[in-house]
């Protein structure tokens, strides 16, 4: 597909949106007021807005390989801070997906260059649950289990940020959720780790991990 076709697609899309709502882009240009921050994987098969049926302006998005929340990643932390403190989002959703290539690389021990340094964070989770992962047969099944464990771990990481901790301390309403998307059927599954207070995190995360591991 030539790049010029993307421009043509844009023209058609903009015309369609304008036909449906002539004031859409004018209203959109004035402000953004999303209630949701989406932290997802960079995978091109996981388009955040389309998955949950939201229009531009309704979902603030951060994406990286394997949907990680690393405490030294100023890119991710800046997005979270802007979303929480400026946009005042009410929900942060960490959404992974089954069959994630980054997670699969960890399971297979693949050496694919610079990205291995980034995926080391997933490797730490794999090592923590090595015994349970070894009980699962098949690369795909191991990958999917680690995808779920990774999402729950990243939810925990979000709640540990000073940004979220401070928001809760000042009484700002804010939920953090963990979801996972199945590319083969287009459905999102809730991993049961939704938290809105610091004192709930430990039990919620433990319960979600136990539920995932109970399938092993």
């Amino acid at each position: 597909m030539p790049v010029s076709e993307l421009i043509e697609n844009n023209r058609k899309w903009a015309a369609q949106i304008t036909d449906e709502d002539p004031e859409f882009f004018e209203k959109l240009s004035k402000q953004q007021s999303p209630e949701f921050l989406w932290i997802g994987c960079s995978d091109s098969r996981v388009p955040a807005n389309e998955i949950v049926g939201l229009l531009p302006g309704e979902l603030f998005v951060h994406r990286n390989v394997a949907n990680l929340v690393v405490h030294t990643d100023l890119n991710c932390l800046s997005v979270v801070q802007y979303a929480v403190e400026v946009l005042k989002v009410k929900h942060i959703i960490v959404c992974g997906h089954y069959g994630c290539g980054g997670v699969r690389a960890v399971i297979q021990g693949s050496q694919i260059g610079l990205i291995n340094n980034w995926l080391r964070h997933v490797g730490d989770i794999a090592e923590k649950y090595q015994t349970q992962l070894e009980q699962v047969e098949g690369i795909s099944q191991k990958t999917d289990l680690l995808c779920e464990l990774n999402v729950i771990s990243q939810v925990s990481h979000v709640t540990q940020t000073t940004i979220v901790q401070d928001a809760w301390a000042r009484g700002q309403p804010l939920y953090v959720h963990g979801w996972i998307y199945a590319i083969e059927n287009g459905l999102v599954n809730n991993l049961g780790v939704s938290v809105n207070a610091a004192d709930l995190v430990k039990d919620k995360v433990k319960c979600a991990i136990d539920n995932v591991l109970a399938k092993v």
Side-chain angles (χ1 to χ4, degrees):
M1 176 186 296
V3 173
S4 59
E5 191 168 331
L6 301 183
I7 300 295
E8 181 62 27
N9 289 346
N10 165 258
R11 299 296 186 266
K12 293 176 181 177
W13 171 78
Q16 179 183 346
I17 294 293
T18 303
D19 286 344
E20 295 172 357
D21 182 357
E23 298 180 352
F24 178 81
F25 290 109
E26 181 181 355
K27 292 182 292 185
L28 189 65
S29 66
K30 292 179 179 178
Q31 66 175 0
Q32 62 170 334
S33 54
E35 294 187 10
F36 309 95
L37 166 61
W38 176 281
I39 300 176
C41 183
S42 299
D43 194 302
S44 60
R45 300 167 297 173
V46 190
N49 285 70
E50 287 91 335
I51 287 173
V52 289
L54 294 180
L55 292 171
E58 296 180 326
L59 190 70
F60 199 57
V61 177
H62 175 78
R63 296 170 70 176
N64 60 54
V65 175
N67 43 271
L68 297 178
V69 178
V70 179
H71 295 303
T72 55
D73 180 4
L74 296 182
N75 184 354
C76 180
L77 294 181
S78 296
V79 171
V80 174
Q81 182 177 24
Y82 189 82
V84 172
E85 298 182 5
V86 179
L87 298 177
K88 307 292 184 184
V89 298
K90 295 181 174 63
H91 303 270
I92 299 175
I93 301 164
V94 179
C95 187
H97 66 96
Y98 293 117
C100 178
V103 176
R104 181 183 292 269
V106 171
I107 290 293
Q108 294 179 316
S110 303
Q111 296 301 312
I112 48 180
L114 178 65
I115 195 172
N116 285 107
N117 297 281
W118 179 252
L119 295 176
R120 182 61 252 170
H121 299 290
V122 181
D124 292 341
I125 300 169
E127 288 181 2
K128 183 176 181 179
Y129 298 103
Q130 181 178 354
T131 301
Q132 292 89 343
L133 288 166
E134 287 176 347
Q135 297 174 25
V136 177
E137 295 185 4
I139 295 296
S140 294
Q141 291 78 6
K142 289 180 188 291
T143 298
D144 288 349
L145 175 58
L146 185 53
C147 286
E148 293 180 339
L149 294 169
N150 181 48
V151 168
I152 298 168
S153 297
Q154 303 316 312
V155 167
S156 179
H157 293 171
V158 172
T159 67
Q160 293 165 6
T161 63
T162 55
I163 304 156
V164 171
Q165 290 285 323
D166 289 348
W168 284 338
R170 62 178 174 263
Q172 182 174 337
L174 180 64
Y175 270 92
V176 184
H177 311 272
W179 295 357
I180 194 159
Y181 175 69
I183 294 174
E184 63 269 20
N185 60 21
L187 298 179
V188 167
N189 296 314
N190 188 337
L191 291 175
V193 60
S194 295
V195 291
N196 66 339
D199 58 350
L200 299 178
V201 173
K202 185 176 180 180
D203 287 344
K204 282 281 190 177
V205 169
K206 182 181 184 303
C207 184
I209 291 289
D210 288 346
N211 288 339
V212 166
L213 294 180
K215 298 181 295 184
V216 176

